[in-house]
Every structure is written in C-alpha cells, then in structure tokens.
Amino acid sequence: MELKKITENTYYIPGPTNLGLFVEDKKVILIDSGNDESTGRKIFRLLEEKGWELAKIINTHSNADHIGGNAYLQKKTGCAILSTALESIFIKEPSLEPFLLWGASPFKALRNKFLQAQPSIVTDIIEEEGIIKDTPLQAFPLEGHFIQMIGVKTPDEVYFIADSLFSPEIISKYGLTVKSDIEKTLNTYTFLGNLSAKLFVPSHAHPAEDITGLIEVNRNQVEQDNQKILNYCRKPVSRERILQLLVNDYQIPLSSVQFVLTHITVSAHLSYLYDRQLIKPIFDEGKMLWTNNDKIGL
Ligand SMILES: [Zn+2]
C-alpha cells in the first residue's frame, strides 16, 4: 500500500478503489475505506507507521468496494463514519445492496464481499452539498451511479469524485459501468465539466488535473448504450434479451455478480428511454417486451 502526496494536507492511496486522506495535526480523515478487511488492516498499519490517528471515514457511497475497510477500522480506532442519509442505510445494513441488485433476498453467490461488506456504524449523517460538519472539507452531489453518492473537495482544491467517472480500460472491459439513473449521470458529467481543480481523484481511474477527455469517454459510452438499446427495440425485446445482446456485443465476462451489475444499468437505460417516450413496454404472452414508440403508432 502506497501513500501518494498531492498537496500539503491531501494524499491518496492508489488501488482497485483509490482512497483519499486529508491530514491535519496528525489526524486523518479517510475518504472511503477500500474493498475489504484486508484493505482496512493495511490502512491501519500505514497510519500507525506514520504516527497518524484515524479520526473519521467519509464514505462517498455504500458500495462494498468503498466501505469494505469500515468495520475493521472502526473496531480498531473507534473512528467516526460519515455518509449521506440514504447511503447510511446500506452501510448499516450491507445485505441491502445484493437485495436491491437482485430485487429480492439474494442467493448465496451474491452475498460475497464484492457486493456485501461487513456492517459498520454511521455516526454522522451529512448533507450531500456543503461543508462537512467539523471538517474543512466540502461535499458535493454526484448523482446517477448509486443512490446518494457524494464527492469530497479539500480546501486545497483536490476533488475526490468517487464512481462518477470510470477509466477507459474499465469501460472497454465492461461496456457499461454501473448506473442507477441515466439522466442524473449525464447531469453529473455536465457538472464535472464545469469544475477546475488542482487534481481530480476518481475511485476507478487515474487521478488527473484535466478530466475533460475522461468525461467525454464516459458520456460517449452512455450515449452509445442508449443508441444500442434503441436499435434492439426495433423489434419487441425483453429486458433479459437486451442484457444478453449487450453482454455478447461487449463480450462482458458474465457471473452472478456481473449479471446483476449489468442488469441494474440496463434497467436504468430503459427507465431513461421510456421517460423520454422513445420506447414503451408491451405485454405479450406473459412477457414484458420493450419496443420503439414509432413501431406502436404513437
Ligand atoms: Zn466503486
């Protein structure tokens, strides 16, 4: 585990999920806690070596790869854990994440550390916008990926932007990255495009001073996925058939976990296209099928 200094007080730890640290008077505010207990242990050791004390963890959102170290670190240090109200429900009850993704009580293969972290106690609920209580940090909303995700801005103009943008490598591997709301995702891209920062630190892409190109890659992907789904809907197709066509098109390696993560994104696109009256569901012989609006005479 490597600590990278960005500014006087701000650091990040590169990894499968990039983590942020804001350090003042040897007290650390950690932004997200990584994938699992083992990441939590490594963070704990790193802070011990530096002689720093973990004061707070701010979780940008409740996905398992962002809260995985919470339980261990809170047990070892008694640190505070801060999140927005809706995300806090999932941090306290992480079994809700696979429940939400599957739409019912999940089978065993979905109750693993990739989707379900250990529970931890959220001590403080924070607003999605404004100064984060008792810190010099500022929260800003990053809607569209999960339910109430935030980014965190430090006083030295470093923006931790969570899962609002994914690296080109991840996008080309999975075709579609997890989204729960397409309109909000697009609004978030516009919002990010208007920011300037000393450094942007996405959780799953390289930190960069300029994210214009990264925003375009992400936005193009959303538009391409909308277009693909619209094309599939020229004939009435089921949600599962759309998922199959995308999986084959992008050659997404499928597993139970990857299925539900792809599924939520397909569902988000269907909601978006339906709300724009571009597609419509029809019910045929016990199937719910999606079709272009022009094909049904509207
Ligand atoms: Zn993530």
Side-chain angles (χ1 to χ4, degrees), residues 1-2 12-19 32-36 38-39 42-43 61 64-66 113-114 162-163 165-167 170 174 201-207:
M1 182 167 275
E2 195 188 351
Y12 80 101
I13 298 171
T17 305
N18 295 327
L19 310 175
D32 289 332
S33 65
N35 289 55
D36 51 17
S38 132
T39 312
K42 289 181 194 155
I43 295 169
H61 64 301
D65 58 326
H66 295 257
K113 72 169 188 178
F114 298 106
D163 288 10
L165 297 173
F166 291 89
S167 70
I170 291 175
Y174 295 105
V201 186
S203 300
H204 306 292
H206 291 301

Side-chain angles (χ1 to χ4, degrees), residues 35-257:
N35 289 55
D36 51 17
E37 180 175 324
S38 132
T39 312
R41 278 176 197 280
K42 289 181 194 155
I43 295 169
F44 183 74
R45 275 205 300 270
L46 181 84
L47 300 189
E48 253 189 346
E49 281 164 24
K50 300 291 283 182
W52 293 347
E53 181 196 325
L54 180 61
K56 298 175 201 289
I57 300 172
I58 299 172
N59 288 130
T60 59
H61 64 301
S62 61
N63 288 170
D65 58 326
H66 295 257
I67 67 165
N70 277 20
Y72 178 82
L73 289 167
Q74 193 169 48
K75 195 174 74 194
K76 291 295 277 187
T77 67
C79 66
I81 294 179
L82 291 68
S83 82
T84 56
L86 295 180
E87 299 290 347
S88 79
I89 298 166
F90 287 77
I91 297 169
K92 288 184 252 184
E93 287 292 345
S95 63
L96 289 174
E97 186 183 339
F99 197 109
L100 171 133
L101 290 170
W102 178 242
S105 186
F107 50 93
K108 259 200 190 118
L110 296 176
R111 296 199 303 265
N112 59 29
K113 72 169 188 178
F114 298 106
L115 297 183
Q116 183 172 336
Q118 294 300 310
S120 51
I121 298 157
V122 176
T123 53
D124 302 85
I125 301 294
I126 54 179
E127 297 298 322
E128 55 191 356
E129 191 155 21
I131 290 285
I132 300 172
K133 191 170 68 114
D134 300 329
T135 78
L137 308 178
Q138 229 175 314
F140 54 94
L142 291 173
E143 293 186 302
H145 169 68
F146 203 53
I147 296 178
Q148 203 181 14
M149 185 170 81
I150 53 163
V152 177
K153 181 193 170 202
T154 69
D156 39 21
E157 302 288 318
V158 178
Y159 284 73
F160 291 93
I161 55 170
D163 288 10
S164 56
L165 297 173
F166 291 89
S167 70
E169 294 75 25
I170 291 175
I171 289 176
S172 66
K173 183 168 176 197
Y174 295 105
L176 38 176
T177 51
V178 174
K179 292 169 202 84
S180 65
D181 188 306
I182 301 301
E183 184 175 9
K184 289 178 176 172
T185 296
L186 293 170
N187 290 341
T188 289
Y189 295 156
T190 305
F191 166 77
L192 289 171
N194 290 324
L195 297 179
S196 57
K198 178 154 182 68
L199 194 72
F200 292 99
V201 186
S203 300
H204 306 292
H206 291 301
E209 286 166 33
D210 181 355
I211 50 170
T212 323
L214 193 59
I215 295 171
E216 274 326 289
V217 169
N218 280 263
R219 188 193 292 278
N220 290 344
Q221 188 63 40
V222 171
E223 280 161 8
Q224 182 178 307
D225 291 334
N226 273 334
Q227 204 49 56
K228 278 185 193 289
I229 293 172
L230 273 177
N231 287 340
Y232 300 151
C233 290
R234 278 190 277 182
K235 278 195 304 203
V237 279
S238 68
R239 179 166 60 171
E240 198 125 342
R241 173 73 179 144
I242 293 168
L243 188 148
Q244 181 196 16
L245 290 165
L246 286 166
V247 162
N248 290 339
D249 193 339
Y250 289 124
Q251 303 196 311
I252 302 170
L254 217 48
S255 62
S256 297
V257 169

